[in-house]
Amino acid sequence: MPKRAPLLLTAALLTLPLLGACGKRAPEDLTSKLLYTASGSYDAQADVRNRVNRSTRTVLWVEHPPLEAARVEVTYASEARQVAWTMTITAPKFTVGDVLKENPGAAQPAGPTPGQRFTGGRLKNVLVLPTEDGLRLLTRGYAVQRETALLPLFDQPAP
């Protein structure tokens, strides 16, 4: 036993710095918050969770939205939330430009609209469209299932 004591002490001293790092996380960037909101990570804090029909659900935040905005609403296909969702962000305190800065080279203009389509990066296959009072993001999967009129915006050739 006496020979093991130095080994245990050495192992304990070597793992001590690792334990301190467990509680620290890198701050979430805007892109992460957008994706976490879309995927359901913040649903527990939502003001309203609603089942629209058998295959569509909505989640709404007004009091404490997970993004810096007055209101956030996510509508998604319940059987395929990760790939089929749309998010409406009202009065955001960020712009499309802020999202683009975090994802350099990953987006292109979305045809004749003032929107952007992401062709790479973490937001691949997401379309960002400005609205009268904010932004709307939607996935290609959502457009395929529920808004086919927007599909051509995903298929525009690169400029």
Side-chain angles (χ1 to χ4, degrees), residues 47-48 58-74 87-94 133-135:
D47 298 305
V48 178
T58 61
V59 185
L60 173 66
W61 295 265
V62 178
E63 292 297 318
H64 301 287
L67 300 166
E68 291 187 42
R71 180 180 193 271
V72 176
E73 182 173 7
V74 176
M87 182 186 311
T88 305
I89 306 166
T90 305
K93 294 182 178 152
F94 57 89
D133 56 356
L135 297 171

Side-chain angles (χ1 to χ4, degrees), residues 48-52 56-60 73-76:
V48 178
R49 290 181 294 282
N50 187 28
R51 184 176 185 165
V52 176
T56 307
R57 296 173 189 245
T58 61
V59 185
L60 173 66
E73 182 173 7
V74 176
T75 301
Y76 61 95

Side-chain angles (χ1 to χ4, degrees), residues 18-104:
L18 297 175
L19 293 175
C22 289
K24 297 177 184 173
R25 286 183 24 187
E28 293 175 349
D29 62 2
L30 177 57
T31 302
S32 295
K33 285 184 180 183
L34 288 167
L35 291 170
Y36 288 149
T37 302
S39 68
S41 295
Y42 303 121
D43 283 6
Q45 293 90 21
D47 298 305
V48 178
R49 290 181 294 282
N50 187 28
R51 184 176 185 165
V52 176
N53 57 40
R54 246 183 43 215
S55 63
T56 307
R57 296 173 189 245
T58 61
V59 185
L60 173 66
W61 295 265
V62 178
E63 292 297 318
H64 301 287
L67 300 166
E68 291 187 42
R71 180 180 193 271
V72 176
E73 182 173 7
V74 176
T75 301
Y76 61 95
S78 53
E79 72 281 357
R81 182 170 185 167
Q82 300 299 316
V83 295
W85 54 265
T86 183
M87 182 186 311
T88 305
I89 306 166
T90 305
K93 294 182 178 152
F94 57 89
T95 66
V96 174
D98 296 327
V99 181
L100 294 174
K101 282 181 204 168
E102 289 186 2
N103 300 277

Side-chain angles (χ1 to χ4, degrees), residues 115-138:
Q116 294 284 321
R117 65 185 170 102
F118 284 85
T119 56
R122 294 180 288 167
L123 291 171
K124 185 175 183 179
N125 290 321
V126 172
L127 182 66
V128 182
L129 299 169
T131 63
E132 193 173 292
D133 56 356
L135 297 171
R136 179 167 183 228
L137 289 78
L138 70 142

